[in-house]
Amino acid sequence: MRGLDAFFSPRTVAVVGASRDPAKIGHLVLKYLLESDARVYPVNPSADEILGRPCYPDLASIPEEVDLAVLAVPAATTVQMVRQCVDKGVRAIIAQASGFGETGEEGRRLEQEIRSILAAAPPDRRPRLLGPNTLGVYVPRRRLDTTFTLRERSPRPGPGDIAFISQSGATAVCIMEAAATLGVGLSAFVGIGNKLDVDENELLDYFAQDPCTRAIALYLESFRDGRGFLERCRRITPHKPVVVLKTGRSATGARAAALHTGSLAGSDRVVEGALRQVGAFRAYDEEELVDLARALGHGRPLAGKRVAVLTTAGGLGVIATDLLESRDRGAGLELAPISEEGKARLRSVLVPFASVHNPIDLTANSSNGHYAASLEVLEAEPEVDAILCVMQFQSPFVDDGLAQIIIDWFHRGPKPMVVVTIGGELSQRGLRQVVQAGVPAYPSLWRAVRALAALYQRGQYLRRLHPLPPAADAAEPPEGRAAT
Amino acid sequence: MRGLDAFFSPRTVAVVGASRDPAKIGHLVLKYLLESDARVYPVNPSADEILGRPCYPDLASIPEEVDLAVLAVPAATTVQMVRQCVDKGVRAIIAQASGFGETGEEGRRLEQEIRSILAAAPPDRRPRLLGPNTLGVYVPRRRLDTTFTLRERSPRPGPGDIAFISQSGATAVCIMEAAATLGVGLSAFVGIGNKLDVDENELLDYFAQDPCTRAIALYLESFRDGRGFLERCRRITPHKPVVVLKTGRSATGARAAALHTGSLAGSDRVVEGALRQVGAFRAYDEEELVDLARALGHGRPLAGKRVAVLTTAGGLGVIATDLLESRDRGAGLELAPISEEGKARLRSVLVPFASVHNPIDLTANSSNGHYAASLEVLEAEPEVDAILCVMQFQSPFVDDGLAQIIIDWFHRGPKPMVVVTIGGELSQRGLRQVVQAGVPAYPSLWRAVRALAALYQRGQYLRRLHPLPPAADAAEPPEGRAAT
């Protein structure tokens, strides 16, 4: 076990401050961790057993090595417990308590004490520490969950492939709830809190290597080491997309961040350009953060800017066209021309009053079959770089099977595809289904178009990094010329 | 009964083309209309009764006056039926069939025929006609619904105070479903289709006068008479907000609109500035259309740009601050300063580690009571022009009652308020509850901030139109001076 693995795949976990009281954090943390695949040890000197598990008076009495210790105790006690962790040889510590640097002088002194304890430990027995002031980690595929919000109130996302690093715990909880509702999954969540030891940079490195992570989303109020962050992005973004919601864009925002997590935001204008240069995406709000991470993590980058729109409501096609093509309040992309052959094929399968011009309008009489046939045509169109599929469930000839048709074409077809659905319960159900299957799908046209724009931008970035060799027919001069 | 009333509050309705076949439009239209408060007459020469109602072979045999005739018959038959309507003295006709001007030459000829029939009718017996190529109308408070999408698949919005005029039927259905899911209500929906007779301008006039309508939202692909539209907006917007989603911003969008509804979009750049000048709001996508109509219809215009943010997640407050204050990707508003007295009052009611600086952070330990007490303080703050209330349900001390507290303060407090909630099922339920109570509330920070920006813009507009008299103490010269 090396690096930060002890945080994300511990074999053994100690819950220090485990409690019998269901209202206590130390109870919730233990309860949820008992569902994980790790061996879990409650630590509490004044209890014999909690939730059916024998309780240990201290870390030292745990009969095996401890990979991860979750400290669910107040700030002052946390300091003592870090000392115990060092003595026990614990590999990783999650310090959950608040009341540290974010609250003022006394808190900063406590943090300094922890730093000294860690520094004094022999390097080969020096635990890594997450926090303080953090919910810790949540790794859905292992059911490893140290966050202590009630699951009944705060549903968690299922397993997925987006890593989410957040400097704010409560905010991350809200974002994860919204993501879960939409069907978005995570490879891991990690709250960095006051980043006394482990920071966003090290976590970037970690998730860059993590085979379960396809995109990295960060909520940051400050950079521990901005230059280091950018260097990492430059190294990572060619392989894995990085999306950053970095606050402090406004002066008051920067001050608010300083009050919230005690962090200095740094100059924002530098951030903006620098992130772009190293191929990272900047998100401007909590919704865009997850929207872009999904688009970039699951979608294919666009090779060109020509998009085919498939819809059953002409108006939605027209609005989408404006959003795709406009430079102001739009994506600056283009509508793809459909070949005459493609139009003929579409005409042969669609209802007579359907429009085979892009945006392609299946009309309100669309069926599952019309969608499937149209996608087949569009996937083969030479001048289509991407498909915006408007998945609507209003037609009586469309049923729940539509979502699966779209999922299949998304995975099978060569073209990048983004899906949008506007409507009520049926739409929301369909949306959840396709999102869970890894399709970048959204409940509004603009969010879908913005996803396409990001995939186009990423395509351009990757192309600049790795210019394609000239096409074969152009690379080899025609025989006649070669002879001259 | 005058003007367009026969469309929206008919006493008698004939369904021409009423059908026994549940798959037919003429069946659905009749079925849904039977729930309305109008007397409904099925017309079909080859049936004795449909859905338990005696059926009439033609309009002439209906034993009383017909206010509204819904023509659920094909295009060619529609022409003949319009003739029957004139003979019967029907006041209003909804011509649902497609296959008219939007499909080409033959369709345009049929439209011309209808125009001639209407023109030939004596002015006092000339029916008004909506469509052709339209779903017709939906007036929730009367359960008057001529739209023919299956309710099981397309849930309708409940009664409300937003009028929605749309040039595209299928698109309007999608938008209404999404609105219904969020808890948004309508005073009326009307699909103008090919606008052979009744157009958006006349409907603007109608809803301007309609006491049940507080905001008018339009989806338009073309203007019948752009100058007339703008003149109406200039007259109406001082009293009632108007939000327009007008497509054709891009060249291809304009062409797509022409193919879709056969309309010529006109130059878009002119539209942009002109709408702003007459106090109308332009929306750029289907979500913004409804978002802004709700904000402007239900929210109070801002007198100034200083916003207080109330949150339970510090990070959400920081993101909101950036969105509020930034000019680029933000609203260009300001965070309000909180008075020392206000801060002291907040300190006395909140938990010790709460932040009483704006953005005010109740922390994850917030309770219903903290929200109520903080709103009371903020409502009294002299330098707060509006409140952005982040309504979160994650805290164990918050329950469903929170929504009602916010609803009460929204209606009671003098300050304009916009609400946002980020999260899962509890948030969505709370959101629906406050939206149904007429609170402009949104599931993302950006959508909420955009609503505040619109309310600020509207405040500025109304202030320019009606400059406030100088404050009383300034208006009356002090006695000493008056004497000089």
Side-chain angles (χ1 to χ4, degrees):
Chain A
M1 185 159 294
R2 39 178 288 284
L4 304 180
D5 276 341
F7 288 107
F8 301 104
S9 43
R11 291 155 304 191
T12 52
V13 183
V15 179
V16 180
S19 169
R20 277 204 203 106
D21 179 352
K24 287 273 169 66
I25 288 171
H27 181 87
L28 275 187
V29 169
L30 175 64
K31 182 174 146 188
Y32 294 152
L33 277 175
L34 286 176
E35 294 179 17
S36 74
D37 56 9
R39 291 185 297 282
V40 178
Y41 297 95
V43 175
N44 184 334
S46 50
D48 288 338
E49 61 101 37
I50 304 176
L51 289 168
R53 298 295 168 118
C55 203
Y56 294 80
D58 48 33
L59 282 164
S61 46
I62 292 175
E64 64 171 329
E65 284 190 357
V66 171
D67 288 334
L68 172 65
V70 183
L71 309 185
V73 292
T77 322
T78 296
V79 180
Q80 304 162 31
M81 290 303 131
V82 170
R83 219 181 295 269
Q84 276 200 20
C85 286
V86 172
D87 294 342
K88 172 71 181 173
V90 163
R91 286 189 176 80
I93 302 171
I94 292 174
Q96 300 193 306
S98 56
F100 282 95
E102 80 283 5
T103 55
E105 198 44 57
E106 169 61 12
R108 276 192 289 277
R109 201 189 52 71
L110 291 175
E111 282 192 13
Q112 198 44 55
E113 251 187 274
I114 293 179
R115 259 190 217 96
S116 309
I117 296 167
L118 294 178
D124 60 324
R125 291 175 65 84
R126 187 179 294 154
R128 302 306 312 271
L129 185 140
L130 192 62
N133 189 19
T134 180
L135 293 170
V137 299
Y138 169 51
V139 186
R141 71 179 180 283
R142 298 186 178 278
R143 301 186 68 81
L144 182 79
D145 186 359
T146 75
T147 73
F148 44 81
T149 48
L150 284 166
R151 284 208 189 139
E152 308 86 84
R153 302 184 77 87
S154 291
R156 314 283 203 270
D161 47 25
I162 294 167
F164 177 27
I165 301 166
S166 176
Q167 194 164 347
S168 172
T171 301
V173 168
C174 303
I175 294 176
M176 284 195 284
E177 269 187 42
T181 307
L182 210 59
V184 180
L186 296 182
S187 57
F189 156 75
V190 49
I192 51 181
N194 294 6
K195 24 185 172 173
L196 183 152
D197 176 28
V198 174
D199 63 18
E200 65 274 16
N201 286 356
E202 227 176 325
L203 286 164
L204 262 186
D205 285 337
Y206 182 82
F207 289 116
Q209 298 294 332
D210 175 26
C212 297
T213 295
R214 288 175 65 178
I216 306 170
L218 300 101
Y219 171 75
L220 293 178
E221 298 189 352
S222 66
F223 293 110
R224 158 74 75 80
D225 160 18
R227 196 179 300 267
F229 186 86
L230 294 172
E231 275 165 18
R232 281 171 177 83
C233 284
R234 192 188 299 280
R235 241 180 18 239
I236 295 168
T237 59
H239 312 287
K240 214 172 257 191
V242 174
V243 186
V244 189
L245 172 51
K246 163 68 177 61
T247 56
R249 292 197 293 134
S250 63
T252 318
R255 273 201 305 279
L259 279 167
H260 177 222
T261 46
S263 53
L264 286 174
S267 166
D268 190 74
R269 243 166 312 178
V270 181
V271 174
E272 186 80 29
L275 284 175
R276 197 177 310 124
Q277 231 178 347
V278 297
F281 284 78
R282 185 170 198 175
Y284 294 82
D285 59 61
E286 80 292 348
E287 191 173 79
E288 192 179 14
L289 178 64
V290 179
D291 278 3
L292 293 189
R294 291 200 288 131
L296 298 163
H298 300 159
R300 269 170 288 214
L302 271 61
K305 54 166 69 171
R306 299 162 305 177
V307 180
V309 178
L310 186 64
T311 182
T312 62
L316 294 183
V318 178
I319 302 169
T321 300
D322 274 351
L323 292 173
L324 283 166
E325 292 213 333
S326 301
R327 300 202 156 269
D328 182 33
R329 302 279 312 242
L333 300 174
E334 289 169 12
L335 270 267
I338 308 294
S339 69
E340 287 311 316
E341 196 201 323
K343 286 183 193 167
R345 286 183 63 196
L346 285 169
R347 263 188 220 101
S348 72
V349 290
L350 302 181
V351 296
F353 40 97
S355 172
V356 300
H357 301 271
N358 193 11
I360 293 147
D361 182 2
L362 304 179
T363 81
N365 287 311
S366 58
S367 66
N368 288 7
H370 293 150
Y371 270 99
S374 306
L375 286 173
E376 188 173 354
V377 171
L378 292 178
E379 290 284 357
E381 275 296 292
E383 301 204 48
V384 167
D385 294 311
I387 299 168
L388 176 62
C389 181
V390 185
M391 171 179 76
Q392 296 301 132
F393 293 89
Q394 285 79 16
S395 159
F397 312 112
V398 154
D399 64 25
D400 281 3
L402 176 59
Q404 193 56 50
I405 289 170
I406 287 170
I407 292 166
D408 289 345
W409 273 109
F410 173 81
H411 290 296
R412 195 166 89 202
K415 313 269 190 202
M417 190 196 294
V418 165
V419 172
V420 57
T421 179
I422 320 282
E425 206 188 308
L426 286 182
S427 288
Q428 292 188 347
R429 203 164 68 200
L431 180 63
R432 216 181 137 81
Q433 192 183 340
V434 296
V435 168
Q436 281 174 330
V439 180
Y442 303 90
S444 91
L445 286 170
W446 171 240
R447 288 168 71 181
V449 167
R450 186 171 65 182
L452 275 171
L455 287 169
Y456 173 69
Q457 209 177 315
R458 180 146 177 89
Q460 294 295 101
Y461 171 69
L462 294 178
R463 216 156 254 246
R464 271 199 308 278
L465 289 179
H466 312 289
L468 282 181
D473 53 352
E476 292 174 14
E479 248 184 43
R481 280 206 184 174
T484 63
Chain B
M1 184 157 296
R2 40 177 288 284
L4 304 180
D5 275 342
F7 288 107
F8 301 105
S9 44
R11 292 156 303 191
T12 50
V13 183
V15 179
V16 180
S19 169
R20 279 206 200 106
D21 179 354
K24 287 274 169 65
I25 289 171
H27 182 87
L28 275 187
V29 170
L30 176 64
K31 181 174 148 188
Y32 294 153
L33 278 174
L34 286 176
E35 294 178 18
S36 75
D37 56 10
R39 290 187 296 283
V40 178
Y41 297 94
V43 176
N44 183 335
S46 50
D48 289 336
E49 60 102 39
I50 304 177
L51 290 167
R53 299 293 168 117
C55 204
Y56 295 80
D58 48 35
L59 283 163
S61 45
I62 292 175
E64 64 171 329
E65 285 190 356
V66 171
D67 289 334
L68 174 65
V70 183
L71 309 186
V73 292
T77 322
T78 296
V79 179
Q80 305 162 30
M81 291 303 131
V82 170
R83 220 181 294 268
Q84 276 200 19
C85 287
V86 172
D87 295 342
K88 172 71 182 171
V90 163
R91 288 189 175 78
I93 301 172
I94 292 174
Q96 300 193 304
S98 55
F100 283 94
E102 81 283 5
T103 54
E105 199 43 59
E106 168 61 12
R108 276 192 289 278
R109 201 189 53 72
L110 291 175
E111 283 191 13
Q112 198 43 56
E113 250 187 273
I114 294 178
R115 259 190 217 95
S116 309
I117 297 167
L118 295 177
D124 61 325
R125 290 177 64 85
R126 187 179 294 153
R128 302 305 312 271
L129 186 140
L130 193 62
N133 187 19
T134 180
L135 292 171
V137 300
Y138 168 52
V139 186
R141 70 179 180 283
R142 299 187 178 277
R143 300 187 68 81
L144 183 79
D145 187 359
T146 75
T147 73
F148 43 83
T149 49
L150 283 167
R151 285 210 188 137
E152 307 86 84
R153 302 185 77 87
S154 290
R156 313 285 202 268
D161 47 24
I162 294 167
F164 177 28
I165 301 166
S166 176
Q167 194 165 345
S168 171
T171 302
V173 168
C174 303
I175 293 175
M176 284 196 283
E177 270 187 41
T181 307
L182 211 58
V184 180
L186 296 182
S187 57
F189 156 75
V190 49
I192 50 181
N194 294 6
K195 25 186 174 174
L196 182 150
D197 177 27
V198 175
D199 64 18
E200 65 273 17
N201 286 355
E202 227 177 325
L203 287 163
L204 261 186
D205 285 337
Y206 182 83
F207 289 116
Q209 299 294 334
D210 176 26
C212 298
T213 295
R214 289 175 65 178
I216 306 169
L218 300 101
Y219 172 75
L220 293 178
E221 297 189 354
S222 66
F223 293 111
R224 158 74 75 82
D225 159 18
R227 197 179 299 265
F229 186 86
L230 294 170
E231 274 163 19
R232 281 171 176 83
C233 283
R234 192 189 298 280
R235 242 177 21 237
I236 296 168
T237 58
H239 312 288
K240 213 171 259 191
V242 174
V243 186
V244 189
L245 172 51
K246 163 68 178 61
T247 56
R249 294 197 292 133
S250 63
T252 316
R255 272 201 305 278
L259 277 168
H260 176 222
T261 49
S263 52
L264 284 175
S267 167
D268 190 75
R269 246 166 311 179
V270 183
V271 174
E272 185 82 26
L275 284 175
R276 198 178 306 124
Q277 233 179 344
V278 297
F281 285 77
R282 184 169 200 178
Y284 294 83
D285 58 63
E286 80 293 346
E287 191 173 78
E288 191 178 15
L289 177 65
V290 179
D291 278 3
L292 293 189
R294 293 200 286 132
L296 297 163
H298 301 158
R300 269 171 288 217
L302 271 60
K305 54 166 69 170
R306 299 161 306 175
V307 179
V309 179
L310 186 63
T311 182
T312 62
L316 294 183
V318 178
I319 302 169
T321 300
D322 275 350
L323 292 173
L324 283 165
E325 292 214 332
S326 301
R327 300 202 157 270
D328 181 33
R329 300 281 310 243
L333 300 174
E334 288 169 14
L335 270 267
I338 308 296
S339 70
E340 287 310 315
E341 196 201 324
K343 285 182 194 168
R345 286 183 64 198
L346 285 170
R347 263 188 218 102
S348 72
V349 291
L350 301 182
V351 294
F353 40 97
S355 173
V356 300
H357 302 272
N358 193 10
I360 293 147
D361 182 3
L362 304 177
T363 79
N365 286 311
S366 58
S367 67
N368 287 7
H370 293 149
Y371 270 99
S374 306
L375 287 172
E376 189 173 354
V377 171
L378 292 179
E379 289 285 356
E381 275 295 294
E383 303 205 48
V384 167
D385 295 311
I387 299 168
L388 176 63
C389 182
V390 186
M391 172 178 76
Q392 294 300 133
F393 293 90
Q394 284 78 15
S395 159
F397 311 113
V398 155
D399 64 24
D400 281 3
L402 176 60
Q404 193 55 52
I405 289 171
I406 287 171
I407 292 166
D408 290 344
W409 273 109
F410 173 81
H411 290 295
R412 196 164 88 201
K415 313 270 191 204
M417 191 196 294
V418 166
V419 173
V420 57
T421 179
I422 320 281
E425 205 188 309
L426 286 181
S427 289
Q428 292 189 345
R429 202 164 68 200
L431 179 63
R432 214 181 138 82
Q433 192 183 340
V434 296
V435 168
Q436 280 174 332
V439 179
Y442 304 90
S444 91
L445 286 170
W446 171 239
R447 289 168 69 181
V449 167
R450 187 172 64 182
L452 275 171
L455 286 169
Y456 172 71
Q457 209 178 316
R458 180 145 178 90
Q460 295 294 103
Y461 172 69
L462 294 178
R463 215 156 256 245
R464 272 198 308 277
L465 289 179
H466 311 289
L468 280 182
D473 53 353
E476 291 173 13
E479 247 183 42
R481 279 206 186 174
T484 61

